[in-house]
Structure formats: structure tokens, C-alpha cells
Amino acid sequence: MWKNLSLLHLYKLIYSHLHCYQHQAFEDFGASIFSEGMAPGIESSEGNNKMSKGYQYPSWKKKLTGLVVDNEELCRMVEKGIMGLCGVETQAVETGEAAVELIASGATFDIIVIDRFLPSMTGPETARKMREMGVESKIIGLFALYFEGDEEEFVAAGVDDFKEKPLSPNWLVPMLRELDN
Amino acid sequence: MAGTDLRAQLNNFIKAMHDQGILDEHFEHVKGLQNEYNPYFVLEIVSIFCRDAENVIAEVTKFLDEPVVDYVKTIGLVHQLRGGSSSLGGSRMAIACRELRQATQDNKKEECLQALEKVKREFSTLHEKLNVISQMERTILTNEGSMVQCIPSGSIY
């Protein structure tokens, strides 16, 4: 049975049993034998410090929670996944109404990411409603396509920042570090 | 081992896509979301992207074919297309979408049609490359699955 296992799979078995994917350990054992895309096991609903190819995210002092509001399935999946990879316990909803309902039910989030174009209640309308409800979370307006001046409606609604897609770890992590402090 | 070789081939193929600007670094982040708890993530994302992009491009084509173009609806669709492209890491297609969006700003149908043709070309290229990536991923997953079956349960070797 040894012959049926590559060295790669041997290491995967050992580390999966130890539930321990450490980037430094990969380096110690020769990171070159590990293929890309071998990110450690994550559940996008769970926060923790995680790693992606060569990118090690800081440990957060507190549990960070996030909400993604995006009608597009692919964008929603990726944004939720990226937030999770960055150590944010993230939920995702498709509409502004669903987001508002979640908050009205008592859910709280450290960071909320809202797409500009939502089906009925727009992104800015959703952000405005959240602020009226007393939400003090960091709210980020997300644009599929951004042209200068597009942010005005979002800013007037009370978002803290805005970004053109994609939502990337490089952009997110410094913001999360601020939240964590 | 075959599995490692194929993974290396896949990585080289993706690198070539980077070099040609077809994929950007964000694709690496998307790949990083795939793991043994979510082993089909890349396949799923690629499938959703190709399905949605085809539908949206068809709708945009329909709107631009109308004697009077509904630019509001067209713009909404272009945003959707660009959002999906960029979230996947399809750099050249995302750029083509921006150019189409710019053309709609000027309400010039001929420019829009030219920009749409470019979007279609970039989507065709991206779709073809993503199909190759998907095929390789499927083979890798199949190989890894059959290799894991060789291990007696509860054993660590």
C-alpha cells in the first residue's frame, strides 16, 4: 500500500489527522512538493486565521463576523469564501431585504459588504436602512464596475468605504486588522 | 506520480493564462478556496460563470439588436458580466466588459456592437481555457479519489 501513496498524499494524511496546516511546516518539508490550491480546510461559516497560496493571514484577537449582500451567485460565493479565508465568520444573502431582516432579528456583524446593484432595495438603500437601524458595522459598498462619482449615493447612505470587484484578501486584511484593534 | 505531474501541468497551464492576461491573481484566490472540504469549488465556480456569462451575453445581444436600445437594462447586464468575470479572475474579459460599459455611456449603438464582439471573443477564449482547467481538475480529483480508496480506513501510513 505504500506504493499507492505519493509523498504528497502521505503528508496530507498526516496533517489532516493533526488538523494542522501550517505554512511554515510546508516550507520545512519542502513546499515545492505541495501543489497550489491546497488551501487548508475551511468552512466559510467559521472564522479562524487561514492561509492561501503563500499568503498567511494574521491571527485575529477577536472573532470577526461578516455579511455579504450580493444578488449574483458566483460573486456571493467568492466574496463569502474570501471573507472566510481572511478569518471572518461570514453569512451571505441575496437581497437588501434579507440583509435588513437578518439585522432586525438581532444578528450583528463587524463588516458588511453590499453590492451596488441589488434587485429591489438597492445597495445604497440597504446601507441607509442599516444605518437608520443603528448598525455601526463597517459597511463596504461594492461595485461590479466603478466610474468616478458612482460612490456618491453609497457614501451619502453612510458606507465607510467602497471598492470595485473583486473583493481581494490584499484589500480586506488591513481593514480587518483595524477592526480587530 | 501521475497525480503530482498533472497538478504541475495544471499549474503551468494556469501560469500561461496569467502570462497572456487571460487570468489574473484573483484566480489564485479563488483556487485557494478549494480544499478537501470543498473539493469541487473551482469546478462549481467555472460552471456557474460559463452558464451565467452565456445567458447574459445572449441578453445583451438581444437588447442591442433592438431598433431602440434599452441602455438601462443593457448597462445592468454588463455590470453583471463584469462582476462575474472579475470575481473569477478573468482579467481580459473584465476589461472588455468595461469597454462595453463605456460604449453604453455614450449611447452609440455601433460602438456598443463592436465592444460586444470583443466581449464575445474574450469570453470564447476564457471559456475554452476554463474548460481545459476543469477537465484537468476533474482528472486530478478522480485520481486522488481512487488513491485515497487504497488506504485502509483508520490507518496512518
Side-chain angles (χ1 to χ4, degrees):
Chain A
M1 85 194 49
W2 280 90
K3 335 191 252 199
N4 293 330
L5 293 178
S6 69
L7 195 56
L8 171 68
H9 283 93
L10 178 62
Y11 286 132
K12 281 179 80 172
L13 277 173
I14 292 169
Y15 279 100
S16 66
H17 277 276
L18 294 175
H19 300 290
C20 176
Y21 281 83
Q22 294 295 330
H23 185 72
Q24 188 55 48
F26 286 173
E27 292 289 330
D28 292 342
F29 285 95
S32 60
I33 69 167
F34 288 94
S35 55
E36 292 181 12
M38 241 185 75
I42 60 168
E43 294 175 41
S44 56
S45 61
E46 191 177 319
N48 206 335
N49 48 308
K50 307 292 181 193
M51 289 152 281
S52 184
K53 176 185 171 282
Y55 197 119
Q56 187 165 6
Y57 304 102
S59 307
W60 306 125
K61 292 194 282 287
K62 60 179 188 177
K63 184 175 99 166
L64 295 176
T65 55
L67 176 65
V68 165
V69 190
D70 198 320
N71 187 240
E72 294 307 319
E73 184 184 9
L74 184 153
C75 296
R76 194 168 60 248
M77 284 171 68
V78 172
E79 286 150 16
K80 185 180 176 188
I82 295 286
M83 297 258 282
L85 199 63
C86 290
V88 182
E89 183 176 308
T90 307
Q91 295 185 54
V93 294
E94 295 179 41
T95 64
E97 288 88 345
V100 165
E101 205 176 299
L102 202 54
I103 287 168
S105 73
T108 58
F109 304 97
D110 295 293
I111 179 168
I112 301 173
V113 174
I114 306 176
D115 183 51
R116 168 67 181 82
F117 283 111
L118 296 173
S120 49
M121 196 175 178
T122 67
E125 285 169 353
T126 303
R128 180 172 294 108
K129 181 66 182 171
M130 287 179 177
R131 291 301 192 211
E132 286 169 4
M133 292 168 75
V135 169
E136 294 180 352
S137 315
K138 184 83 112 177
I139 301 181
I140 308 299
L142 213 53
F143 294 91
L145 255 173
Y146 170 75
F147 288 97
E148 198 176 328
D150 284 349
E151 78 278 13
E152 284 172 10
E153 208 181 340
F154 251 138
V155 170
V159 303
D160 296 286
D161 208 338
F162 56 93
K163 191 187 185 300
E164 186 179 73
K165 293 179 183 181
L167 188 68
S168 71
N170 300 340
W171 188 85
L172 203 51
V173 165
M175 182 170 296
L176 296 175
R177 196 173 282 123
E178 275 181 35
L179 284 173
D180 194 45
N181 289 331
Chain B
M1 292 292 293
T4 311
D5 290 341
L6 192 54
R7 182 62 75 181
Q9 275 180 46
L10 174 59
N11 292 341
N12 288 336
F13 185 81
I14 292 171
K15 185 179 180 311
M17 295 306 102
H18 278 272
D19 294 343
Q20 293 171 53
I22 296 171
L23 294 174
D24 61 24
E25 65 168 11
H26 193 72
F27 187 74
E28 291 306 311
H29 297 310
V30 172
K31 271 189 69 207
L33 299 178
Q34 180 161 298
N35 51 72
E36 52 196 51
Y37 301 100
N38 202 355
Y40 304 108
F41 188 82
V42 171
L43 289 175
E44 208 179 330
I45 288 291
V46 165
S47 172
I48 293 170
F49 171 73
C50 293
R51 176 201 70 199
D52 289 354
E54 262 183 50
N55 290 340
V56 170
I57 288 171
E59 281 193 69
V60 172
T61 305
K62 199 178 75 179
F63 279 121
L64 288 180
D65 270 346
E66 295 291 324
V68 178
V69 178
D70 186 336
Y71 283 105
V72 171
K73 286 200 171 131
T74 304
I75 286 169
L77 290 168
V78 175
H79 275 249
Q80 195 179 323
L81 201 54
R82 200 264 166 194
S85 311
S86 63
S87 296
L88 174 80
S91 178
R92 273 179 17 192
M93 183 163 166
I95 291 169
C97 290
R98 179 180 294 281
E99 290 169 6
L100 176 54
R101 172 63 179 95
Q102 189 64 58
T104 60
Q105 192 99 340
D106 302 329
N107 283 10
K108 288 180 181 169
K109 188 169 175 176
E110 199 46 50
E111 278 184 32
C112 291
L113 289 171
Q114 285 176 16
L116 177 60
E117 283 310 306
K118 186 173 178 187
V119 168
K120 286 177 176 176
R121 283 195 303 273
E122 291 300 344
F123 173 64
S124 177
T125 302
L126 181 57
H127 192 175
E128 182 196 321
K129 304 303 179 190
L130 289 173
N131 278 345
V132 173
I133 290 172
S134 294
Q135 190 53 55
M136 293 170 87
E137 276 284 348
R138 268 188 220 103
T139 306
I140 290 167
L141 288 167
T142 304
N143 290 346
E144 287 178 351
S146 57
M147 288 186 81
V148 166
Q149 283 167 23
C150 296
I151 304 161
S153 59
S155 307
I156 304 175
Y157 291 94

